[in-house]
Amino acid sequence: MVKSVKEIKKILIEKNKVLSTAESCTGGLISSYLTDIPGSSNFIKQNFVTYANESKINILDVKKETIEKFGVVSSEVASEMACGLTKKYDSDFGISITGILGPKTYNDNNPKGTVFIGLASKERNKNVKYISEKKTRTAIKKDVAKKALDEFLTFLRENS
């Protein structure tokens, strides 16, 4: 289990806050880590795997124009994903992730292992670009899921 998960749980429950997640390239791994601990139903509102662009648009209110202008692997899309969780689903906090696991790159020239993590509260949002040095899809997923949770813990401490 990722170390930061227990601390995330503790803070959210103490503050009576809820979290939702929207994952693309990690395919639900962040959600899995969060729900691996007992009591997760006390702080998780809902989690989505929004792999396709259409699901990002329909479920999270990501603008089609944002994807067309910046690419799906971008800080702008990650931000709209995370903010969609707090606005559309009334979550206190949102974590989103969009990226490329390989084996190839997209038109935007982001190398394999590039992810953008979106972190949002109702008052503030932040984006983090991270490039995993891991080689396999599974290793990259685990690495970026852990990075997202660590980044969220820092964000949560600063915003609660």
Side-chain angles (χ1 to χ4, degrees):
M1 180 190 315
V2 179
K3 289 181 186 179
S4 55
V5 171
K6 288 183 181 178
E7 185 66 17
I8 290 169
K9 172 190 172 183
K10 179 179 179 244
I11 294 169
L12 289 172
I13 289 175
E14 282 177 1
K15 302 288 184 182
N16 196 31
K17 302 292 183 184
V18 293
L19 166 67
S20 293
T21 66
E23 301 178 65
S24 185
C25 62
T26 48
L29 190 55
I30 294 168
S31 176
S32 180
Y33 285 146
L34 288 166
T35 59
D36 280 348
I37 57 173
S40 57
S41 61
N42 294 312
F43 67 92
I44 300 228
K45 186 158 188 184
Q46 53 201 343
N47 299 324
F48 299 100
V49 176
T50 54
Y51 209 74
N53 290 352
E54 297 82 27
S55 61
K56 290 173 184 67
I57 293 165
N58 295 330
I59 295 170
L60 302 170
D61 291 341
V62 172
K63 294 178 193 78
K64 183 178 179 183
E65 297 79 20
T66 303
I67 294 172
E68 290 170 351
K69 183 174 182 178
F70 300 102
V72 71
V73 180
S74 65
S75 62
E76 292 82 3
V77 169
S79 180
E80 287 188 16
M81 289 170 70
C83 290
L85 293 167
T86 61
K87 291 175 186 168
K88 188 172 181 176
Y89 298 102
D90 196 32
S91 293
D92 297 300
F93 293 96
I95 303 172
S96 69
I97 192 156
T98 183
I100 179 167
L101 301 182
K104 61 179 183 169
T105 60
Y106 289 114
N107 311 10
D108 57 13
N109 294 318
N110 283 316
K112 175 176 128 175
T114 302
V115 298
F116 289 90
I117 301 163
L119 307 169
S121 69
K122 293 188 179 202
E123 299 81 30
R124 179 170 179 256
N125 68 306
K126 175 183 175 181
N127 297 302
V128 176
K129 181 179 182 177
Y130 178 68
I131 302 174
S132 176
E133 298 296 324
K134 304 295 182 185
K135 302 297 180 206
T136 67
R137 287 178 69 85
T138 301
I140 293 170
K141 283 170 66 172
K142 289 178 181 178
D143 185 41
V144 299
K146 180 185 180 312
K147 176 69 173 174
L149 289 166
D150 289 345
E151 290 288 342
F152 176 69
L153 178 56
T154 300
F155 182 82
L156 181 60
R157 286 177 176 151
E158 294 170 352
N159 294 283
S160 60

